[in-house]
Amino acid sequence: MLLSTKSLGALRLRTKQQVGSAFCLASGRRRAEVSLVGGCAAGLGNLGRMHWSACYHHHHHPQHASSRAWRCRAAVAEATTEAGVVSGSGHGSKAEQPAVWKAPLDFKFIRDNVEEVESNCRDRNNPADPRLVAELYAKYLQRNQELAELQQARNANAKKLKGKMSKEERDVLIGDGKSLKEQIAALEGTVEEVQMELQREGQKIPNMTHPDVPVGGEECSTVLETVGSRPEFGFKARDHLELGESLDLIDFESAASVTGSKFYYLRNEAALLELALVNYSMGKAVARGFVPMITPDLVRTEVLEKCGFQPRAENTQNYGVRDSDLCLTGTAEIPLGGSVMNSLLEEDSLPLKMAGFGRCFRTEAGAAGSASKGLYRVHQFSKVEMFVVCTPEQSDQLHQELIDIEVEMFKELGLHFKVMDMASHDLGAPAYRKFDVEAWMPGMERYGEISSASNCTDYQARRLSIRYRPGAKPGQKKPKNVFVHTLNATACAVPRMIVAILENFQQEDGSVLIPEVLQPYMGGVKKIQAREAPSE
């Protein structure tokens, strides 16, 4: 059952108490309306105190929907420089550098474990430079200490001026005070410049990696589970494009004239199938205690960066909006994460589970070949995304729950698929570990990714400033606030699910059967058949 409007309102009020977002100073920069955004990718890294679980829990532990899950008494997070935005020098001139927001990254961890962090970057094929970050951190601490000493000297000088003394002695102290003031001002500028460079380089460092993740390219990924078997046809299987054309379901030609290549119209039963898939997958998520949400399609560039995406990168997958600091979102994960940005949550309100329906927009820069054929890789599509905010102790278990939900759905849909533990080169910067589901697509004669589930530990939480207040134990001091862990998983990426359904349930006469679990959402349609030609 869906939560009531009153319950959802209470959730929103309790979980989203924000101090306001840090607006990007570069909001007036020139940007192409639907083209790549230039500059450095400021949001590529985190290295917090990562989750070092040596073993993985391969058991199903469902979280039931309950009032406890949503008793989220969020408090307003204190406004600090962590939410601020600065701009300054980097690899080029100051004027060329994008804005830099400050995040409480664990620079001490990087400095104390620099070899381990370097090895992690190599394993993930990531060009970040942890040793440079460690050097910058040491320089920042040194300059900050020098600044503190000068400020102490200034205070001591001011204290002396309050006493009785000769004019000559007072003039000397006044001169010393002016000199100290000038030195402090100059050093404050140096500290700020070092801090900006430290942030810029630190944000490039990816998350640490789960010890069980295979090292290498996608071909090194491990198969965790295989479900079902390939369908056997007594005829040559067609691909979804042939089926879509013969059954009048997909129209790329009209969309190309209206919008451009890799856009499409869904027609007739295909349009109903999208709605059926969205309702089915949303219903499955809600039954597991996820709050249903419909998310904005536009988000601030800063929020994209804090979630680990690269709107300013040369080959960005994000579309920007001209004369605006907004981007079209590539996944509902971004606005879902942003909905609890700058929050302080209570421990007993966690895990916080959301299921967002949104439209996704991706440039698919560099995508080509048969792997991007038809609906498999497009510029715009609908998706239901699951997003979880939890404690560090809960995240491994919840990661397993997310993949369990996906496996359950795809079994019910009757697909043949395999669950993959993805290798290190395939992990995006935020992911500590990622499971992909790849379904067999007979017409394309290969497996294709239809879903993924990622544990991002505290990578996004540090950037989005999402903490929780641990419960105090009797007789112990009140514990410090802790960064949450975030996870995301695809409940349903509509176009790829349509590809899988059309190709796996095609019949010799060219018709396509609708999976039984979707039929209640299809208005009674059980089979897609060719339409009779109109009589003359």
Side-chain angles (χ1 to χ4, degrees), residues 183-475:
Q183 292 177 60
I184 287 170
L187 193 52
E188 283 176 338
T190 300
V191 168
E192 183 71 4
E193 287 180 4
V194 173
Q195 186 180 29
M196 287 187 295
E197 190 175 359
L198 175 61
Q199 283 286 330
R200 187 174 291 111
E201 295 301 322
Q203 289 169 20
K204 296 177 183 178
I205 295 179
N207 203 341
M208 295 302 285
T209 307
H210 191 287
D212 291 346
V213 169
V215 175
E218 187 176 354
E219 69 282 356
C220 299
S221 300
T222 304
V223 178
L224 298 176
E225 181 181 7
T226 300
V227 176
S229 56
R230 298 183 186 183
E232 295 183 3
F233 301 110
F235 56 92
K236 180 174 173 54
R238 303 179 180 183
D239 66 25
H240 71 281
L241 280 174
E242 293 178 82
L243 292 163
E245 182 177 351
S246 64
L247 297 172
D248 194 20
L249 300 176
I250 309 167
D251 185 356
F252 277 97
E253 187 176 344
S254 296
S257 299
V258 172
T259 312
S261 63
K262 292 193 176 294
F263 289 91
Y264 58 95
Y265 287 95
L266 293 181
R267 296 167 54 84
N268 298 309
E269 291 89 350
L272 296 178
L273 188 55
E274 166 157 334
L275 298 176
L277 285 164
V278 168
N279 279 282
Y280 166 72
S281 55
M282 186 66 84
K284 296 292 287 188
V286 169
R288 292 294 197 107
F290 287 75
V291 167
M293 299 177 70
I294 296 178
T295 60
D297 292 334
L298 287 165
V299 295
R300 295 187 186 280
T301 303
E302 177 195 344
V303 179
L304 269 165
E305 292 174 343
K306 290 182 176 181
C307 288
F309 296 83
Q310 306 173 54
R312 296 188 179 101
E314 205 168 300
N315 289 317
T316 182
Q317 296 298 317
N318 301 107
Y319 286 110
V321 179
R322 182 184 297 169
D323 299 325
S324 167
D325 191 39
L326 295 173
C327 290
L328 288 166
T329 185
T331 169
E333 169 195 344
I334 299 162
L336 289 174
S339 72
V340 286
M341 183 170 62
N342 300 326
S343 291
L344 178 59
L345 311 175
E346 296 295 333
E347 183 175 15
D348 66 1
S349 73
L350 302 175
L352 179 63
K353 302 194 289 187
M354 296 171 274
F357 169 73
R359 304 287 277 180
C360 306
F361 302 86
R362 300 181 184 180
T363 66
E364 297 297 357
S370 61
S372 61
K373 186 178 181 181
L375 287 176
Y376 189 80
R377 198 177 298 279
V378 290
H379 290 311
Q380 176 182 338
F381 60 95
S382 299
K383 182 156 72 85
V384 176
E385 183 81 2
M386 297 179 287
F387 189 81
V388 178
V389 177
C390 66
T391 69
E393 294 74 21
Q394 295 170 333
S395 66
D396 265 353
Q397 176 184 308
L398 285 163
H399 195 196
Q400 185 62 45
E401 180 184 346
L402 289 171
I403 195 65
D404 286 344
I405 292 172
E406 294 177 347
V407 167
E408 180 182 308
M409 287 193 297
F410 304 142
K411 280 183 178 178
E412 288 184 357
L413 287 166
L415 300 176
H416 163 52
F417 59 90
K418 53 186 179 179
V419 180
M420 310 289 293
D421 192 354
M422 299 309 292
S424 56
H425 290 187
D426 198 63
L427 301 182
Y432 173 62
R433 192 179 196 182
K434 181 166 76 87
F435 300 143
D436 277 4
V437 177
E438 297 182 356
W440 177 249
M441 299 179 177
M444 301 173 73
E445 297 184 326
R446 65 180 181 86
Y447 288 93
E449 180 191 342
I450 57 172
S451 181
S452 67
S454 298
N455 184 354
C456 298
T457 63
D458 65 356
Y459 176 97
Q460 294 172 325
R462 283 180 172 271
R463 289 155 172 72
L464 293 168
S465 189
I466 312 172
R467 297 175 175 86
Y468 74 96
R469 196 196 328 265
K473 295 180 181 179

Side-chain angles (χ1 to χ4, degrees), residues 109-239:
F109 178 87
I110 300 173
R111 181 197 65 188
D112 296 345
N113 302 274
V114 68
E115 291 183 0
E116 187 176 359
V117 178
E118 280 185 318
S119 176
N120 181 66
C121 288
R122 286 194 298 271
D123 288 347
R124 295 171 72 118
N125 200 26
N126 187 290
D129 189 348
R131 201 162 292 276
L132 173 60
V133 173
E135 292 170 0
L136 288 168
Y137 182 54
K139 184 177 180 180
Y140 170 73
L141 292 178
Q142 180 183 348
R143 295 291 182 268
N144 223 26
Q145 178 61 34
E146 292 170 0
L147 179 60
E149 291 172 358
L150 284 174
Q151 289 169 337
Q152 289 175 355
R154 179 188 61 186
N155 293 339
N157 184 78
K159 187 176 181 180
K160 287 180 182 178
L161 279 169
K162 294 179 181 179
K164 291 183 178 180
M165 64 192 73
S166 66
K167 182 179 181 303
E168 291 79 9
E169 291 174 323
R170 185 172 297 278
D171 288 343
V172 170
L173 289 175
I174 290 173
D176 290 345
K178 289 180 179 178
S179 176
L180 286 167
K181 182 179 179 181
E182 291 171 357
Q183 292 177 60
I184 287 170
L187 193 52
E188 283 176 338
T190 300
V191 168
E192 183 71 4
E193 287 180 4
V194 173
Q195 186 180 29
M196 287 187 295
E197 190 175 359
L198 175 61
Q199 283 286 330
R200 187 174 291 111
E201 295 301 322
Q203 289 169 20
K204 296 177 183 178
I205 295 179
N207 203 341
M208 295 302 285
T209 307
H210 191 287
D212 291 346
V213 169
V215 175
E218 187 176 354
E219 69 282 356
C220 299
S221 300
T222 304
V223 178
L224 298 176
E225 181 181 7
T226 300
V227 176
S229 56
R230 298 183 186 183
E232 295 183 3
F233 301 110
F235 56 92
K236 180 174 173 54
R238 303 179 180 183
D239 66 25

